[in-house]
Amino acid sequence: MTGSRLNLILILALLASLVAAVLLGETAFSGAQIAEAFGAPASGPGEVLWQVRAPRAVTALIVGAALGLAGAVMQGLLRNPLADPGVLGVSAVAALGAASAIVIGWAALPGAVELSALVGAGLAGGLLVLFSARVRSPEALILFGVAVSSFAGAATALIFNLSPSPIASAEVMSWLLGSVQNRNWIDVIWVTPTVIVAGALAVLAAPGLRMLSLGEETARTSGLPMARLRLLALVAAALATGAAVAVAGVIGFVGLAAPHLVRAMVRGDPGRLLAPAALTGGLMLVLADLLARLTPTDQELKLGVFTALVGAPLFALIAWRAAKEWRL
């Protein structure tokens, strides 16, 4: 399958999922009410569709696309199918920044928590860039990322444990579980430019990632500037992950699984994988959020919990099938 055809199929599937996410929900609307929402956006049904469901669905799309893109970039840079922003600690440090802002009391300031998460992701990305400049081994970079992730997770748990306010503790826990509930168009406007910049950097890194798939020594002898490639890839992944965590909290699995679902369709080319992985991540999260909303529970499932419950078994199946192929 050509890359353009695959992207077209994914875009059409995304559009269909967005329509379903807007029209379906806990409150069922009749055909007349849906027509009223389109004809009079300020009406009751119009407010629900365009000011509640639509921004929530678009936020899920952007967050999923950011995570899918970050996962594809990391897996291409490290040539490791298990690499994702969570493994390298970017998500954990971003969550630490958001948790710190909540406990300090900055949650009342518009955009303070989101900005703190983005700063945390930038800090993690900066540490990875500095480390990669001194140590070239991808394995060492992964181990360093795991150490950063562990430390940030422990610091977040410490903040949660020492929080003097139960309300702040509840907000931190809600953030760590991940959700796009109650997101509005301001959140969409805020997060979109950051993800676009991350996408542009990833596109600049794509030729290098493709060359790197031949092996680091081959790529270096071919004139590939490895320092520039690492900088572009790590900054792109940090920006995309930071934006996702800033607007939706910690949502796992998407960055790891989205590239795997489409890698075979692009014949393992890490350069061609970026766009399909981003589209697949967006599609996954829109559908996951829709299913989380439609699941008949007393309290709505958090999106991060839902993606882990549904996605982990699916990813285990993918890994099992891949292992069978490796044994052949």
Side-chain angles (χ1 to χ4, degrees):
M1 182 182 297
T2 62
S4 57
R5 183 179 179 185
L6 174 61
N7 290 336
L8 178 60
I9 293 174
L10 290 172
I11 290 172
L12 293 176
L14 257 177
L15 292 175
S17 67
L18 286 173
V19 171
V22 171
L23 296 182
L24 301 177
E26 185 178 355
T27 301
F29 286 152
S30 64
Q33 288 175 313
I34 293 176
E36 181 184 0
F38 279 89
S43 63
E47 286 288 329
V48 173
L49 262 64
W50 307 124
Q51 300 302 323
V52 178
R53 294 182 184 174
R56 176 173 179 165
V58 174
T59 301
L61 164 62
I62 296 172
V63 169
L67 294 174
L69 175 68
V73 169
M74 287 292 90
Q75 291 175 16
L77 176 65
L78 300 177
R79 288 169 290 150
N80 188 324
L82 298 180
D84 80 327
V87 171
L88 293 182
V90 180
S91 298
V93 180
L96 174 60
S100 301
I102 292 172
V103 172
I104 291 173
W106 291 354
L109 301 176
V113 176
E114 290 82 356
L115 182 59
S116 298
L118 194 57
V119 169
L123 177 61
L127 289 174
L128 291 171
V129 169
L130 291 175
F131 184 83
S132 66
R134 294 179 175 273
V135 181
R136 296 180 179 180
S137 170
E139 293 80 7
L141 185 60
I142 292 176
L143 291 175
F144 180 75
V146 171
V148 171
S149 180
S150 299
F151 177 81
T156 303
L158 179 63
I159 289 174
F160 180 78
N161 189 46
L162 298 180
S163 174
S165 169
I167 297 177
S169 299
E171 290 182 359
V172 171
M173 179 58 69
S174 178
W175 192 273
L176 295 178
L177 294 177
S179 176
V180 292
Q181 190 176 11
N182 300 324
R183 299 304 184 264
N184 52 43
W185 292 115
I186 295 177
D187 295 307
V188 174
I189 294 171
W190 184 91
V191 73
T192 300
T194 307
V195 177
I196 291 175
V197 172
L201 294 175
V203 169
L204 292 176
L209 295 176
R210 183 178 296 113
M211 189 178 298
L212 187 61
S213 65
L214 302 175
E216 186 168 342
E217 291 300 325
T218 302
R220 186 177 288 109
T221 55
S222 300
L224 176 66
M226 287 299 302
R228 178 177 178 272
L229 175 61
R230 290 194 187 98
L231 178 64
L232 287 173
L234 290 173
V235 172
L239 282 176
T241 306
V245 175
V247 76
V250 180
I251 298 176
F253 175 75
V254 176
L256 185 66
H260 281 275
L261 295 176
V262 291
R263 177 172 282 110
M265 300 179 189
V266 297
R267 298 181 180 179
D269 186 336
R272 292 174 55 203
L273 180 64
L274 299 179
L279 293 171
T280 303
L283 178 61
M284 288 174 60
L285 214 56
V286 171
L287 293 177
D289 183 56
L290 177 60
L291 291 175
R293 285 193 283 129
L294 296 178
T295 301
T297 55
D298 294 334
Q299 186 175 358
E300 183 178 313
L301 291 175
K302 291 293 184 180
L303 185 54
V305 176
F306 190 84
T307 56
L309 289 174
V310 176
L314 174 62
F315 182 72
L317 177 61
I318 296 172
W320 179 69
R321 289 181 175 177
K324 287 181 63 178
E325 294 178 0
W326 295 337
R327 290 196 297 266
L328 294 178

